[in-house]
Amino acid sequence: MKVLKFGGTSVGSVNSLNNVIKIIGQQAQHDKLVVVVSAVGGITDRLMEVATMAINKDPNYTLELEAIKTLHLDIINGLISNGNTSRVIEFVSAQLNRLEKLLDGLFLINELSPKTTDKLLSFGELLSSYIISEALVHHALDAKLKNAQELIVTDSQHTKAEVDLETTHKNIEHYFKESNEQITVVPGFIARSKAKEFTTLGRGGSDYTAALIAAAINASELQIWTDVSGMFTTNPKLVKQALPIKQISYQEAVELSHFGAKVLYPPTVQPVLNKNIPILIKNTWAPDDEGTAITNNASNGNTSPVKGISNINNIALLTLQGNGMVGIPGFSKRLFETLAQEKINIILITQASSEHSICFGIDENEAIQAKSVIDKIFENEIALNKIDPILIEAGLAIIAIVGDNMKSHQGISGKMFSALGKNNVNIRAIAQGASERNISAVIESKDVKKALNTIHERFFEIKTKQVNLFITGVGNVGERLLEQIQQQRKFVKEQHKVNIRIVGISNSRTMHFDDDGISLKNWQDLLKNGEKASLEGFLAKVKSLNLRNSIFVDITASESVAAMYSNYLKENIAVVACNKIAGSSDYKNYNELKYLSRKYNAPFLFETNVGAGLPVIDTLNHLITSGDKINTIQAVLSGSLNFVFNNFNGETRFHDVVKQAQDEGYTEPDPRVDLSGIDVARKILILARESGIEMNLEQIKTASFLTEDAMSAPSVDAFYQTLVKNESHYQDLYESAKQKNCQLKFVAEFSNGEAQVGLQEIPEGHPFYNLKGKDNIVMFYTERYPENPMIIKGAGAGAEVTASGLFADIMRIANN
C-alpha cells in the first residue's frame, strides 16, 4: 500500500486537480492507495483573510466568502461532468452555509480564538477531500472518504496540536485492517483532541498526516506531490543552475528542510524514519519527472560530498556576553530555559571557547520578546556589570551546506568560507555539529542570493565560473569589446570554463540592466530605451544586484567615472579601467585604490592604460614579483604620435597628418591631449609606479614640440589654424632629423627614479627607428636584462586592440 499526499498548487486549480485524478487512477491499477489532500485553491490562507475581515468589521468579508463558494462550485463542475453534480453541490453548499454562520459570528463578537481558528480552517481540508473523493468515484474508481479527525488524536493545543502517537497509530492501523477500498481519501492537516474538539497540526500538517498514516500501515512508499520536481541542490528561484537531487538520505532531508527547503516539512520524515519507508517527492505538473527519493541510501550519482545548500531568512542574532560568564556554570541553562518557556525556537547556537559569550539565532519577529525576557532573568547580573544587556543584530539570514559524506572529506568548510570571502560575503557566526552533516553561517540578508550562487558554483559547478560585467562607456572601444565577447563567449566557456555575462551597460545618456544577462544581439536597442544614466544610479544598481564575481569596466576618459572606483572596490567589485585618470592621479589616490583592491580582494587592473592590448604592465608585474629590479624604461607609448610622425614628411603638411589621425580614430577629440605629451607622461608615470616608485605627474619632465599658439588655442578649430600658421616650425623639426638620418619619435624614459617625455631624433639602428604605423614599443632594462632589454612591441592604439586588452584583463580576473 502506498500513501500519496497532494498539496500546494498541485491542488490549486481544476487543471491541476484533473492531473491529480489521473495520477491516482494510474497508480490505483497496481497498488492500494491512501490519498491525503490539502485544501484546494489556497483556501487555508483565504479563510484566514476572510476571518480577519470579519473580526475587523469589514462588511466586504461576505464578498470574499462568495468568491470561496464560487471557487468550490467551479472545481466541482470542472471535475464532475455529465450533470452528476447535484448531490455533491448540495453537500458542499450545506458546509459553506455552516462556514458563513461561523464568519457571521466572528463579525458580531469581534474575536478569533485559537479554538475557533482550528474549526474555521478545517472547512478547507474537509471540503477538498470530499470533492476529490467524489471525483474519483465519478471516474469509476473504488474510492472512499475517511475523516482524519476520526483517526488522528491530539492534545488541546490549538493551531499547533501535539499528536498522541500511540492512540493515533492504533486508530489508523485498526481502520485500514478493516478497509477494503482500493483508494482511501483522507483530509490532511486536521485532527481532533481527546476532548473531541477540532485541532490542526500546524505548518506542514498535511505532510505530517501522510507520514503518520504511512508509518502506521507500513506503507511501501510515501509520495509527496508538489509543484516542483523534487528537492534541488538549492533554491532554483535564486540559483538558476540548481540541480535536482535524485536521492538523499533521511538525515540530509531533515537538515535541508529545517534550513528552508520548503518542499518538505521536517516532522514529515520522523514518523517514517524508523520504518525505513522511502519518501518520493514528485511534481503534479510533470509526473514523469524522476523526482527525489528520500531513503537510507544517500547515493546521488555524483562525487560531491555536499548534497544541497539551503537558507533561512528573517533571522536575528542575539548575543549574551560578559566577563562574569567565564567559568560560571548555569548561564546557558537559564538562558535556554527562559526561551523555552516563552516558546521561542532557537535555530542556531554558537559559543566561544572562552565562555565569554553565547550567540544564538532566532526568528526576527521574536527578537524583541526574547531580549525582554532574557534581560529580565539576568537583571541582577546586568546591574552588577557581570554581563551586558542582550545584543540584537537583525536583517540576517542563515545559509547551510548539507551532506552525509562531508565528514569524510577534508577542507569542505574551508572551500565554503573561502568562496564567500572572495565575494565579500561577511560571516557573522558559524555553527557546525559534531556529525559534520551541516555547516551553517549567519550572513546579511542582502547577501543571500550571492552567497547561494557562490557556494553552488563552488560545489556543483566547479567546471564553470560565472563572471558578471557592468560596462560604462560603450562607444567605439566598448562596442568592439562587446563584439569580441559575443564572438568568444562559447570558446571561453568551453576552453576556460568561464561564463561571461553582460549584466549592465551605460553611456552618457542611458543605462540598461538585466539580471539574467543582456542579449548582445540587440544591446543597442535595449540601451537606447534604457533608463536615464547617472554614475550614482549605476553604482546603486550594481550594489542592489549584488552578484558574485562582479567586474566594473570603465571605457571612458571621464574623471568623474574614475572617482567612483573606490566605491566599487569597497563592495568587492573588481575594476578594469581603460581610463588612465585614476592610475595617473595623485599618488595618494593611486595608492589608496591599490590598498582597497587588496583589502576587499577586488582586482584593480588597467593594462590598456599603457599599451592598449600589449601586455606591458602584466610583464612588468611578473618581473617585479619574480624578484627582478627595474633600472631603466625606454618606450614609445603613443600610437597616435607614432602614426603622426611616421606619416609626416617634407611632402605632407603637419596639419593634414594630424587631421588624418583624428579622422581615423587615433587621437582624442582634442588632438592636443595626444600631441602635448600629457598622455605619454601619464603612461610612463603608471609604469614608474608599478615599478615601485612613488611619483606624481608634475614630477615628469615634459618637453612639448607644439608651439605656444597651439597649446593656448581656445578651441580645436583654432588649434588646427595654428598648425597651418606654424607649418614651418614642424617642417624644421622634420628636416633636422632627416639631415641626421634620424626618425622623429616621441619617447618616454624612466631611470634612476626620474622620468621625462619628449620628441627625440632616433638614429638608424636603434630599436625605435623602424617603428611603423601605430606601433608602440617598450624596453625594460633590469638587473636580469642589463644590456639586452626585454622588448614588447606591437600595435598600441586602435579600438580592436584596446578592446582585446580589456578582454584580457577580464579573463585575468576570471581565471584568478
Side-chain angles (χ1 to χ4, degrees), residues 205-221:
S206 293
D207 287 358
Y208 195 27
T209 301
L212 288 168
I213 294 173
I217 65 175
N218 290 310
S220 62
E221 186 175 76

Side-chain angles (χ1 to χ4, degrees), residues 694-724:
E694 181 176 340
M695 181 179 288
N696 278 315
L697 190 61
E698 57 269 18
Q699 294 174 259
I700 297 176
K701 299 174 184 177
T702 304
S704 176
F705 65 86
L706 292 175
T707 64
E708 290 186 11
D709 288 349
M711 293 301 297
S712 61
S715 66
V716 174
D717 288 341
F719 160 72
Y720 274 115
Q721 291 174 11
T722 69
L723 297 185
V724 175

Side-chain angles (χ1 to χ4, degrees), residues 312-318 345 347 361-370 392-397 445:
I312 307 176
N313 296 323
N314 303 316
I315 295 295
L317 201 62
L318 279 68
N345 183 43
I347 303 170
I362 62 174
D363 189 303
E364 198 170 62
N365 295 322
E366 298 176 325
I368 301 301
Q369 178 191 358
I392 299 177
E393 295 178 74
L396 303 175
S445 294

Side-chain angles (χ1 to χ4, degrees), residues 677-697:
I678 187 65
D679 190 59
V680 175
R682 287 194 177 112
K683 292 179 179 181
I684 196 65
L685 172 64
I686 290 170
L687 291 180
R689 287 175 170 178
E690 292 295 294
S691 301
I693 303 299
E694 181 176 340
M695 181 179 288
N696 278 315
L697 190 61

Side-chain angles (χ1 to χ4, degrees), residues 433-444:
S435 68
E436 298 186 45
R437 185 177 290 120
N438 176 308
I439 302 174
S440 303
V442 180
I443 64 173
E444 293 186 52

Side-chain angles (χ1 to χ4, degrees), residues 27 36 52 82 93 109 125 136-137 161 239 286 353 375 412 475 482 610 616 685 812:
Q27 296 207 29
V36 179
T52 302
N82 302 325
S93 296
I109 65 174
E125 268 70 19
L136 291 170
V137 172
V239 181
S353 59
D375 283 348
I412 297 297
L482 293 177
V610 174
V616 178
L685 172 64
R812 286 187 185 96

